[in-house]
Amino acid sequence: MAAVTDQVDVPRAPAMRKTPKGTFDIVFRNASFGSALLVLVLLAGIMASMIIGGWPAFREMGLGFITSSIWDTQNDQYGAWPAIVGTLTTAFLALLIGVPLSLGIAVFLTQLAPPWFKQPVSTAIELLAAVPSIIYGMWGLFVFVPLFAAYVQQPVSRVVEGMPIVGTILYAASPSGLGILSAGIILAFMIIPFIASIVRDMLDQIPSVLRESAYGIGATTWEVVRHVLVPQAGVSIIGACMLGLGRALGETMAVTFVVGNANRLSSSIMDPGSTIASRIANEFNEAIGLQLNALIALGCILFFVTFVVLVIARILVSRVKAF
């Protein structure tokens, strides 16, 4: 007996309107292009506004604005040289102190730290990166500066007084704890978390077979770090250092607390000084007329210095890649 099958008509879903082929790709491409173009427009706008705002100071004082050391608000005489030197010196000291410590932290966490100790240290490093700069400045002013004056500046000044070169660089005429070196040390504490975190992540990305092969042929830990890890992560290390340098050059509040804010050039890194960022922070609210133009011109110089640092970083990265 033949089986009888009932046919049930299933209602079809209404046909969806098809999107023209390639529409999403075009939208995505245009959105990506617009995002990239927005960055260039913002950069050009910032550069143009800084140049326009600072042009009266450059026009009034010419090259002397960069080379002069005078900052006289009463007579409208302004010179940026002490602030430029202070900015470069504090950033250099920060790198000189911070980079070796950051590399040591990264190598320790990736090569030597036991598992139970690695995670707490890594978390502490990341937490330090999240601390606001004003907290570093307050800690530096109320805790670090008094200790630095009592246990470093005063004893060192007594020892090096009268010595050639060393006595000039490390002697503090008034050992209050404030100065270029104090600002450099605070900046070093601030850039260490950034450099150490980036270098640690890059070292973790290196294939373990390279390290195991080096250990297999009898290489020591130092030889593995020197001849395997550092060459492999060289580009990333340079990039991390340039990132730290960029933050050190533009840091404002922490430096303003501890640098001393003295508009003078001193051959000693123990003496108070100023940076471009601290000068702008101290005077911008009350500045009018040519003084305001001079402060904007200082910002323009800082922008140019940062741009030069970026160019140098690109050149170094390209040379490392070439090798």
Side-chain angles (χ1 to χ4, degrees), residues 9-47:
D9 294 334
V10 180
R12 294 184 179 181
M16 296 183 64
R17 184 177 179 181
K18 293 184 178 180
T19 305
K21 185 177 181 181
T23 299
F24 289 122
D25 184 62
I26 294 174
V27 171
F28 175 74
R29 185 185 299 274
N30 292 333
S32 301
F33 175 76
S35 301
L37 186 62
L38 177 63
V39 175
L40 295 178
V41 171
L42 288 176
L43 182 62
I46 293 173
M47 185 182 301

Side-chain angles (χ1 to χ4, degrees), residues 105 108-109 113-128 200:
I105 292 172
F108 175 77
L109 291 178
W116 62 269
F117 191 62
K118 180 177 179 178
Q119 189 59 42
V121 175
S122 299
T123 304
I125 293 295
E126 294 170 357
L127 289 176
L128 283 176
R200 178 203 63 193

Side-chain angles (χ1 to χ4, degrees), residues 83-170:
I84 295 173
V85 173
T87 300
L88 297 178
T89 304
T90 53
F92 173 76
L93 291 173
L95 285 183
L96 189 65
I97 299 170
V99 170
L101 292 176
S102 301
L103 295 180
I105 292 172
V107 171
F108 175 77
L109 291 178
T110 56
Q111 304 299 315
L112 303 173
W116 62 269
F117 191 62
K118 180 177 179 178
Q119 189 59 42
V121 175
S122 299
T123 304
I125 293 295
E126 294 170 357
L127 289 176
L128 283 176
V131 175
S133 61
I134 194 171
I135 302 300
Y136 282 104
M138 295 175 63
W139 173 82
L141 180 62
F142 295 113
V143 178
F144 175 78
V145 165
L147 295 176
F148 187 72
Y151 296 103
V152 178
Q153 278 191 343
Q154 295 177 11
V156 170
S157 297
R158 286 194 295 266
V159 171
V160 303
E161 184 176 4
M163 291 184 180
I165 303 177
V166 176
T168 302
I169 297 175
L170 297 179

